[in-house]
Amino acid sequence: MTPVPGSTSAESPVPNTAPFESVDEVVETLREQGYIADTRLATTVFLLTRLDKPLLLEGPAGVGKTELAKMLALATGRRLLRLQCYEGQDETKALYEWDYGKQLMYTQILREKIGQVVEDAPDLASAVDRIGSQESVFFSERFLAPRPLLEAIRSEQPCVLLIDEVDRADEALEAVLLETLGEYQISVPEVGTFLAKHRPYVLLTSNNTRDLAAALKRRCLHLFLDYPSAQRELEIVRSKKTGLADQLAEELVGVVRGLRELELRKAPSISETIDWARTLAVLGVEELNSQVLSDTVSVVVKYDKDVRKALDAIPNLVDPNAVVTEPGHGHGHGHGHGHGHDGDHSHDAGHAPDTGPGRRPDDGPDDGDVDGRARRAAKDQPGRHADGYGNKAAAGRSAPPLRSVTPGQGARSFGARKRPI
């Protein structure tokens, strides 16, 4: 398949003008656009612009992968083209489609001309052959509808191509990408091969929902982008001018980082930290406390079970020395139902241990009898109950004499009774 006329060969594309002279310049230029990059990330971006290789960014959602592509386009003055990947996506949505509506319209308009082409055909087969020879008219660039990949390759001006969340797409799309990422070209069977005149800066992002093919990774520079350090995250929040005081922003970053250490279904992202800071600024918060953070925690935690875990953790994240009182039923919980933990669940009248929180004034002196065993043993004396204990009717009078039962009475009652046959 030959290159499409007007395109350059794969060996001689128009060289990219290097936008950055050094890694430090990358850091400063991205900072001017509001993106705070560390040296490792800036080095990778610098190599992307010098080696003309795609960059695969992997890491959790919300750490700035997509934002980097946007800021790189602004920093270099390039147009941004974005392919958003999703499950079930086919190659026509990524590469190109034929504009069938336009083809049909042209067919209707040119119906008379088509009739002239076949009017002197001796038979049907000859007419079909004549129409077939005109297929190149309807399958040409005129009727080609480019999608992001082809548009980036055909672009007359340098651009940045973002292939976002490539891990969400099916593996078949990865195979389609190999030609584009490896040779910066796209083959269209009906037309030919399109070669990039200006090689785009290509960034692919992945949230690690599945492993990507080794062939895809081999064609790319690779960087795992994780949550930043506390200092850099604070710098990012401050750079966004959220309106929250610097001291409160520092405390908030500490709370968010504590939430990330919980076993949450979705950990708070950097963008959600920024949203939380803006939320607190709008509310006019002047001091971070458990109440205001609990009332607004849904800004950064989006699942019900995660919210419950966050609400339990927030008091200690705000003040590690805080004592959280457990709402209970008034039994003075120092685990105090008088339950010994060795299985002795005898309920003493006090419903509380002899020492520790929840101890009542009438529990007696603190004699070290923690579970009350000694006290119960002291009370377990013969004759400690009055006559008739447990029988109010018999209390205060002597028990009646036992009646004697004759053998005849017993026989009549049970033993001698005959069963019917």
Side-chain angles (χ1 to χ4, degrees), residues 35-98:
Y35 192 93
I36 310 300
D38 59 13
T39 304
R40 187 171 64 99
L41 176 58
T43 301
T44 308
V45 172
F46 180 75
L47 294 175
L48 160 69
T49 62
R50 290 301 183 96
L51 300 179
D52 286 333
K53 288 181 69 69
L55 170 59
L56 172 60
L57 292 169
E58 294 190 285
V63 294
K65 302 186 297 295
T66 301
E67 191 69 12
L68 176 61
K70 297 178 181 178
M71 295 303 103
L72 180 60
L74 290 175
T76 58
R78 291 182 169 219
R79 176 189 177 194
L80 176 66
L81 295 173
R82 179 172 180 173
L83 173 63
Q84 182 63 53
C85 300
Y86 54 88
E87 186 177 355
Q89 187 177 34
D90 59 19
E91 62 183 46
T92 61
K93 301 300 181 183
L95 294 172
Y96 63 89
E97 290 182 284
W98 290 108

Side-chain angles (χ1 to χ4, degrees), residues 14-36:
V14 176
N16 283 325
T17 303
F20 307 114
E21 295 297 329
S22 65
V23 173
D24 291 338
E25 186 178 349
V26 176
V27 174
E28 292 303 320
T29 305
L30 291 178
R31 183 185 297 273
E32 291 172 2
Q33 302 299 328
Y35 192 93
I36 310 300

Side-chain angles (χ1 to χ4, degrees), residues 263-279:
E263 294 183 0
L264 301 180
R265 178 177 176 184
K266 165 65 174 63
S269 66
I270 300 174
S271 60
E272 288 166 334
T273 305
I274 296 170
D275 290 341
W276 206 0
R278 287 174 175 157
T279 299

